[in-house]
Amino acid sequence: MRFYNKFLDFLSMTPKEGDEQKDLAVFIRSLSIIFLFYFILTSVALFASTYYVAAIFEDLCAGFFLLSFIFTYRGKTNFAMDFFGAVIVAAPTVLTLVTGWKTNFQWCLLIEILVLYFSLEINREVKQKLLWIISADFLVLVLLSHLIPNNLELAKGWNLYFHIFSAAAYTFAFHVIAIFYSNKFNTAEENLREVNDRLRAMASTDALTSLPNRRVMNEHLTMLAYSYERTNTPFVIAIADIDFFKKINDTYGHEAGDYILKNLARIFDETMKEKGKVARWGGEEFLFVFENASGAQAKAVLEGMRNQVEKTVFHFNDDDIHVTLTAGIEDYSQITGIEITISKADKKLYQGKEQGRNQVVY
């Protein structure tokens, strides 16, 4: 087991090109080892059956597979793939012509077709041209190996030996290819899912405060209105605005304003946990929705939040900044709908502004 683990570690070593070539390198190494042993072991049967030239040619090809294996550790992974492809096409072509169709060397060509599409370095047009060449080679082998008689007969007992290792080699090769393609597909799918999640988050989240944005809140309000029609579950809408926010930006700079918005967003988010939802509505305005609550309950929560903000000192660089909030609250009514409910909350907000700010109007 220890030797097996060390062998896997050796097989999985990152090539000199870096991590981006690692999968391809391990892929070529695995296949090279399989066909290295396949050609050596089947050459024994040919040698025992006195087909010396074919046996020596197989051993030579086994050496080429060893070279493709070594190239992946020398910073030549792409070359190793090309070299492997050339050998896996040329060797079975020659051996099939020499030994006949029944020896099954021709199936190596199918391995190369699958290998071709694993690398991203070869463009699609080149892959298609190589595919046509390999397919033509395969058809020529079909014709020639059946039209030209071949009297190759393996020595007694070696026929079974030969075909056992042939079957094992192709089984292992297809197994390796299936694993690598599966891993590649799963990785690509996972990366795509992560990208989609990030894009979805970007589309639904305010970049500065990390709160839901206006679009998401509108969707949420539509869902609550639909639920209200079915279950009569009440909810309350409130709009809060930072008092004299323009003055903060003018006095301390826009970075200070952003700092205030981010910190207030954290306070708002903590306040609204298990009570409803808060979103950045625009600029220094935030919209709150209290689910399954009355206006009086919402006002109590907002008063506590307003008081917390008033007592908080925001330290930015060498400045201590004090902030206050004004908010307006309105109960949702099916008769008036979402837009008018928001408009009424907004009017109460401006009523609070006119009455001196730093207050919640219900």
Side-chain angles (χ1 to χ4, degrees):
M1 181 61 71
R2 182 179 299 176
F3 172 79
Y4 177 73
N5 290 332
K6 285 184 178 180
F7 174 73
L8 288 181
D9 291 339
F10 177 69
L11 198 66
S12 303
M13 281 178 61
T14 301
K16 290 184 178 180
E17 298 99 321
D19 288 333
E20 65 277 3
Q21 287 285 72
K22 183 177 179 180
D23 287 345
L24 180 61
V26 178
F27 182 64
I28 296 301
R29 290 167 192 167
S30 302
L31 291 177
S32 295
I33 288 175
I34 290 171
F35 285 100
L36 165 67
F37 284 104
Y38 168 49
F39 274 62
I40 289 175
L41 292 170
T42 52
S43 73
V44 173
L46 291 176
F47 191 86
S49 302
T50 69
Y51 293 100
Y52 301 125
V53 174
I56 292 171
F57 182 73
E58 273 206 85
D59 290 333
L60 180 64
C61 291
F64 289 147
F65 285 121
L66 178 60
L67 283 176
S68 69
F69 180 85
I70 293 172
F71 286 145
T72 62
Y73 291 95
R74 301 293 182 183
K76 299 179 180 179
T77 301
N78 289 325
F79 177 76
M81 182 178 180
D82 295 339
F83 189 77
F84 175 88
V87 177
I88 205 73
V89 170
T93 299
V94 173
L95 288 168
T96 301
L97 291 174
V98 173
T99 62
W101 187 263
K102 292 182 180 180
T103 52
N104 294 322
F105 286 114
Q106 67 277 1
W107 303 117
C108 289
L109 297 175
L110 300 184
I111 300 295
E112 175 55 17
I113 290 175
L114 295 175
V115 171
L116 266 177
Y117 283 89
F118 188 83
S119 175
L120 299 176
E121 300 296 326
I122 306 174
N123 66 56
R124 190 178 185 85
E125 290 183 3
V126 173
K127 287 178 180 179
Q128 290 176 342
K129 288 178 182 177
L130 291 173
L131 175 60
W132 283 111
I133 293 172
I134 295 171
S135 300
D137 183 22
F138 191 82
L139 291 175
V140 169
L141 288 179
V142 172
L143 292 172
L144 292 179
S145 61
H146 287 82
L147 292 175
I148 301 173
N150 191 297
N151 298 319
L152 183 144
E153 290 291 338
L154 295 176
K156 187 177 181 180
W158 287 105
N159 188 61
L160 178 61
Y161 168 92
F162 186 94
H163 285 95
I164 284 175
F165 283 110
S166 294
Y170 290 120
T171 299
F172 282 125
F174 279 110
H175 186 65
V176 165
I177 291 170
I179 289 174
F180 275 89
Y181 269 96
S182 176
N183 289 340
K184 196 170 188 178
F185 174 79
N186 290 338
T187 300
E189 188 176 36
E190 185 177 342
N191 290 338
L192 181 61
R193 189 183 299 114
E194 288 177 359
V195 169
N196 286 335
D197 289 342
R198 285 198 297 269
L199 290 174
R200 194 177 296 113
M202 288 171 63
S204 61
T205 305
D206 176 64
L208 178 64
T209 63
S210 298
L211 292 176
N213 58 24
R214 188 168 186 148
R215 182 184 66 81
V216 172
M217 180 57 88
N218 277 324
E219 291 175 356
H220 185 63
L221 290 171
T222 300
M223 182 191 70
L224 290 177
Y226 177 71
S227 177
Y228 183 90
E229 291 178 12
R230 298 176 60 197
T231 63
N232 206 33
T233 303
F235 64 95
V236 177
I237 295 174
I239 297 182
D241 182 273
I242 304 172
D243 298 327
F244 301 111
F245 187 70
K246 184 177 182 303
K247 187 177 179 181
I248 293 173
N249 280 330
D250 293 341
T251 304
Y252 303 103
H254 288 280
E255 289 185 1
D258 290 346
Y259 174 78
I260 296 294
L261 289 171
K262 286 188 222 178
N263 281 275
L264 286 176
R266 281 195 285 270
I267 294 173
F268 297 163
D269 194 43
E270 284 292 326
T271 301
M272 294 303 291
K273 279 183 179 176
E274 300 181 2
K275 296 181 181 68
K277 200 177 187 78
V278 57
R280 188 180 181 191
W281 198 240
E284 66 271 23
E285 279 192 342
F286 295 84
L287 189 140
F288 299 80
V289 56
F290 294 84
E291 300 170 25
N292 197 20
S294 66
Q297 290 172 321
K299 183 176 181 181
V301 173
L302 287 173
E303 280 288 1
M305 185 181 72
R306 182 199 60 76
N307 189 51
Q308 179 185 353
V309 170
E310 183 181 14
K311 291 179 179 179
T312 301
V313 179
F314 297 93
H315 302 284
F316 183 77
N317 293 336
D318 296 327
D319 298 309
D320 291 339
I321 305 172
H322 295 268
V323 173
T324 59
L325 297 175
T326 302
I329 304 173
E330 185 66 27
D331 293 293
Y332 172 75
S333 169
Q334 188 176 359
I335 298 173
T336 56
I338 294 291
E339 289 186 11
I340 294 178
T341 303
I342 292 174
S343 179
K344 286 184 175 182
D346 198 44
K347 286 178 181 177
K348 289 180 178 179
L349 164 65
Y350 281 95
Q351 181 184 335
K353 294 274 190 182
E354 292 171 357
Q355 293 173 353
R357 294 181 169 81
N358 192 24
Q359 57 187 279
V360 178
V361 179
Y362 173 49

